[in-house]
Amino acid sequence: MSKEKYDFYERVFDVVRLVPHGRVTTYGAIAKFLGASKSSRLVGWAMNRSHGLIPTVPAHRVVNRVGLLSGKAHFSNPTEMQRLLESEGIQVKDDQIINFYDVFWDPALMDL
DNA sequence: TGAATGACTCGAT
DNA sequence: GATCGAGCCATTC
């Protein structure tokens, strides 16, 4: 519970909040962007704690490397994640993003 | 303090 | 090409 320095979680939240509307990213991409490509699991941990944060963290825009809504079960309602994605124009079928390659957004490629 | 956990990823079979 | 197993690292019990 360190508070002085930027927590690993906060950095993750920061990146997730940078994800453009209608786009998604992966845990690995975030981890890699933070310089901890091998800590992709920590990104998942961070998301688990993202509930109730202000400002809200668009955790629904974060999926695993194959575009699967691996974390939808952790939402208030399992259907919430898919519903949010679809509302942003992202096609989801069987808990998986269809046009994943098209909507994928890599924080490392963000336009500075 | 040590062991277990996790919304992942990659490499090998 | 699909499936299985090990690695990785911070947080939690």
Side-chain angles (χ1 to χ4, degrees):
Chain A
M1 323 319 190
S2 39
K3 17 203 158 160
E4 296 184 359
K5 66 178 182 183
Y6 230 36
D7 286 290
F8 185 86
Y9 289 167
E10 282 213 44
R11 276 183 281 180
V12 173
F13 301 148
D14 216 27
V15 176
V16 175
R17 283 194 278 251
L18 287 174
V19 178
H21 183 274
R23 290 294 173 88
V24 298
T25 189
T26 67
Y27 302 95
I30 296 171
K32 185 178 181 182
F33 180 70
L34 295 177
S37 54
K38 302 180 178 178
S39 305
S40 46
R41 296 179 139 183
L42 279 305
V43 179
W45 269 110
M47 293 297 97
N48 213 336
R49 305 212 138 209
S50 67
H51 284 283
L53 280 184
I54 308 291
T56 52
V57 178
H60 61 276
R61 294 186 189 143
V62 184
V63 296
N64 68 355
R65 70 179 187 88
V66 297
L68 195 66
L69 310 189
S70 47
K72 73 161 202 161
H74 290 262
F75 278 72
S76 349
N77 288 326
T79 55
E80 185 74 356
M81 188 173 186
Q82 178 173 339
R83 199 172 60 77
L84 287 168
L85 288 172
E86 289 179 336
S87 72
E88 295 187 357
I90 299 175
Q91 299 178 355
V92 179
K93 170 125 188 171
D94 233 12
D95 303 336
Q96 185 173 320
I97 298 175
I98 298 176
N99 53 342
F100 178 62
Y101 187 83
D102 293 328
V103 297
F104 175 68
W105 179 83
D106 191 338
L109 302 177
M110 100 173 96
D111 200 18
L112 299 175

